[in-house]
Amino acid sequence: MDTKRTWMSAVGAALLIGVALVVLALVGGRTLPERTGPPIEQLAVEHTELVPGYIEVTVRNTGPDPVQVAQVFVNDSYVDLTGGEQPITPTRDHGRIGHAHT
């Protein structure tokens, strides 16, 4: 009889935790505040092409926010970038941001 009571307690606790997780999943997202602050900048370099006079880079935004690239770091210095005026949105598509003159 004591073993049955232990099992019933364990099943009851597991059910209570399961119900709490389901309720949290259903209404939890609506209770969180909007994320504020600077955008999370996560760019993955997909392809780099070295051409005399410039470097062409294809990147993918792996972060949650659109990112606009204005400068890149090449040979220990910042270089202005052309072609990066439009924000790169967080999609699976590859985006070519332009080229930096070196």
Side-chain angles (χ1 to χ4, degrees), residues 11-95:
V11 169
L15 267 159
L16 186 63
I17 291 172
V19 168
L21 289 175
V22 167
V23 169
L24 181 64
L26 292 175
V27 298
R30 288 181 257 152
T31 61
L32 295 174
E34 289 292 321
R35 188 174 52 81
T36 59
I40 298 173
E41 300 169 348
Q42 294 177 332
L43 293 177
V45 176
E46 297 291 327
H47 179 75
T48 304
E49 185 177 344
L50 302 174
V51 179
Y54 68 92
I55 301 170
E56 188 170 294
V57 179
T58 304
V59 298
R60 180 171 43 102
N61 185 356
T62 58
D65 299 322
V67 176
Q68 185 175 358
V69 180
Q71 290 182 329
V72 293
F73 197 68
V74 178
N75 290 338
D76 296 328
S77 63
Y78 286 100
V79 179
D80 290 333
L81 179 79
T82 60
E85 293 82 15
Q86 296 297 321
I88 302 168
T89 57
T91 63
R92 297 273 184 227
D93 299 332
H94 299 303

